Amino acid sequence: MEPVAGHIGAEIRGVDLAAGLDAAQVAAVRSAVLRWKVVFFRDQRLDHAGHVAFARLFGEPVVLPRRGKASPAGFPEIETTADRLELGGRFGMEQDEWLRRRRHTLLRGWHCDHGARVDPPAATVLRAETVPPYGGDTTWANLAAAYAGLSAPLRAFVDTLRAEHRLGVGYQPRPGDDAYVRHLLHHQTATVHPLVRVHPETGERVLFVNGYYVEQIAGLSRPESAAILELLVEQATRPEYTVRFRWEPGSVAFWDNRATIHLAPGDHAHLDHPRTMHRVMLTGDVPVGVDGTPSEPVVGSEAGRW
């Protein structure tokens, strides 16, 4: 194993994931994920069955009730994202327009997977099948390091706060009728999470913020909330707390979704080259704050049910 950045990310070499892992290897990979938050494997020959089998060594895969049309039949645990195939033609707009309306600030794209649920996934295993010859990198940020990097008075303040995470916040609607807004209204998902969660395995305090789902801190005015959230998301995404990964066919990234946020690429749409990625997520628990209070669902999710 070789760390690749100061606070986050390590590359694990000499392991054939398709051949399976013994108990010692599973323990070593789990330890590396907890320590470095995201680990990378190169030159793997995983097929769909091998991908699911590897993920299952570390938890129970999520089975999504709805998947994109590019996802493989017969493997309900796998969701395939194929960029232009993902939203192309849906809701009356192409993918690039959706991205402009959804990620209209520098921090909006940062997210954890399914963070608006009451029980976001514990981890994600992402496998690259086809990638552009350049561009298309993913970046992760270490939320435990970001919390530790705050001043002591600010840590004490944010320890007491909770925030609503809601699917679709910040989306800029199209003029007139907007099919995506109607989709969001019919699939409302929102949860009040602690702004600082205690990691269930490491005990670390994690700055549980992102730019994609979070827009309002409970009990604060809108201007106060906006200013503090901007400060905290900027803190979380400071370059020293991040790692950027260059994908190749056969690359696999395995990250702790409880202690990281990540940023999908936005620099390859003009290349007209496919980028096909396969994702398996592992079921997670309900976050708990510093005071022991768990997250509370508002609408759209129930712990353990997808």
Side-chain angles (χ1 to χ4, degrees):
M1 184 187 71
E2 181 176 325
V4 294
H7 286 284
I8 179 174
E11 187 168 324
I12 298 178
R13 300 173 180 172
V15 177
D16 181 1
L17 301 183
L21 304 181
D22 61 29
Q25 290 173 317
V26 170
V29 171
R30 184 186 299 276
S31 177
V33 172
L34 292 175
R35 167 64 179 86
W36 293 103
K37 312 311 180 194
V38 56
V39 299
F40 309 112
F41 304 87
R42 297 280 190 187
D43 303 317
Q44 300 298 317
R45 299 182 301 278
L46 284 176
D47 57 13
H48 292 322
H51 188 169
V52 174
F54 171 70
R56 198 177 292 278
L57 294 171
F58 300 92
E60 182 62 31
V62 168
V63 175
L64 294 170
R66 295 176 300 276
R67 298 183 297 159
K69 61 185 179 182
S71 299
F75 296 94
E77 306 92 345
I78 295 178
E79 183 177 33
T80 297
T81 58
D83 288 338
R84 296 186 181 191
L85 296 177
E86 191 176 358
L87 274 177
R90 293 179 63 193
F91 310 116
M93 56 185 161
E94 295 300 323
Q95 178 84 344
D96 56 351
E97 181 184 352
W98 181 84
L99 287 174
R100 288 197 306 271
R101 294 186 178 282
R102 189 65 191 85
R103 303 180 188 177
H104 49 82
T105 72
L106 294 176
L107 299 176
R108 275 286 179 196
W110 287 94
H111 67 287
C112 64
D113 287 334
H114 291 273
R117 285 187 55 88
V118 70
D119 58 345
T124 298
V125 181
L126 187 64
R127 168 172 57 104
E129 177 182 322
T130 306
V131 298
Y134 51 89
D137 299 355
T138 303
T139 307
W140 289 263
N142 182 339
L143 298 179
Y147 172 84
L150 293 172
S151 65
L154 190 51
R155 288 199 304 269
F157 176 53
V158 297
D159 281 350
T160 68
L161 299 177
R162 298 169 71 81
E164 183 182 271
H165 297 227
R166 181 177 291 271
L167 181 64
V169 297
Y171 173 74
Q172 294 183 331
R174 308 175 99 197
D177 181 60
D178 188 317
Y180 186 62
V181 170
R182 285 189 276 111
H183 169 79
L184 290 173
L185 290 174
H186 286 117
H187 297 87
Q188 285 282 293
T189 306
T191 299
V192 175
H193 288 302
L195 201 59
V196 178
R197 72 177 292 186
V198 178
H199 194 286
E201 293 187 70
T202 68
E204 293 174 297
R205 295 188 182 185
V206 175
L207 187 58
F208 199 42
V209 296
N210 64 78
Y212 195 85
Y213 293 111
V214 191
E215 195 169 57
Q216 180 64 40
I217 298 174
L220 302 188
S221 69
R222 298 285 295 184
E224 290 170 339
S225 175
I228 292 170
L229 283 174
E230 183 176 19
L231 181 155
L232 295 177
V233 179
E234 285 184 345
Q235 166 74 3
T237 58
R238 283 170 54 173
E240 58 263 44
Y241 301 136
T242 68
V243 64
R244 181 167 175 156
F245 185 62
R246 175 87 180 266
W247 294 97
E248 299 169 346
S251 295
V252 174
F254 178 13
W255 68 89
D256 189 336
N257 195 55
R258 301 162 295 190
T260 62
I261 51 178
H262 60 280
L263 181 66
D267 65 344
H268 65 289
H270 64 290
L271 300 179
D272 197 27
H273 193 285
R275 182 180 182 274
T276 303
M277 316 289 285
H278 305 290
R279 177 176 72 171
V280 176
M281 299 178 293
L282 300 178
T283 57
D285 53 356
V286 176
V288 174
V290 173
D291 64 355
T293 303
S295 301
E296 298 177 5
V298 176
V299 64
S301 73
E302 180 183 338
R305 295 188 62 180
W306 283 77

